[in-house]
Amino acid sequence: MSLMGGSKVVYLDEPTSGLDPVSRQSIWAILEEIRAEDRTIILTTHFLDEADRLADRIGIMSRGKLLAMGTANYVKKQFGEGY
């Protein structure tokens, strides 16, 4: 529903949590289309592959603190193999 209004900023809280792999890929395709429309999407996820694919910038939080923020490559360098 939040995607239909045409707002410039959309907040999504774990939009693919609990979905099967095919549905998850479908949601990713929809979000990539919205991103191409020059709309901002802010989403939370526990799936790092999802963040890597969909995000221009990634923020890693733990215990309420922002540990790293930047491009996927920057965050991977910060966390190394733990990413």
Side-chain angles (χ1 to χ4, degrees):
M1 293 295 291
S2 65
L3 303 178
M4 295 177 63
S7 61
K8 289 290 182 186
V9 179
V10 179
Y11 292 89
L12 301 172
D13 185 19
E14 299 193 37
T16 62
S17 180
L19 296 179
D20 63 273
V22 173
S23 297
R24 191 171 176 223
Q25 293 289 326
S26 296
I27 296 295
W28 286 3
I30 292 167
L31 295 178
E32 287 171 329
E33 287 176 23
I34 289 169
R35 185 173 159 200
E37 295 171 0
D38 201 27
R39 293 167 70 184
T40 299
I41 301 170
I42 299 172
L43 69 88
T44 61
T45 185
H46 286 93
F47 301 119
L48 296 179
D49 61 330
E50 182 170 80
D52 195 21
R53 178 170 167 180
L54 297 175
D56 293 323
R57 288 184 290 162
I58 296 173
I60 302 289
M61 293 187 72
S62 177
R63 299 180 184 178
K65 295 187 180 188
L66 185 62
L67 301 179
M69 183 158 188
T71 65
N73 286 335
Y74 173 79
V75 171
K76 287 175 189 177
K77 286 179 186 175
Q78 290 288 102
F79 282 87
E81 292 181 15
Y83 179 81

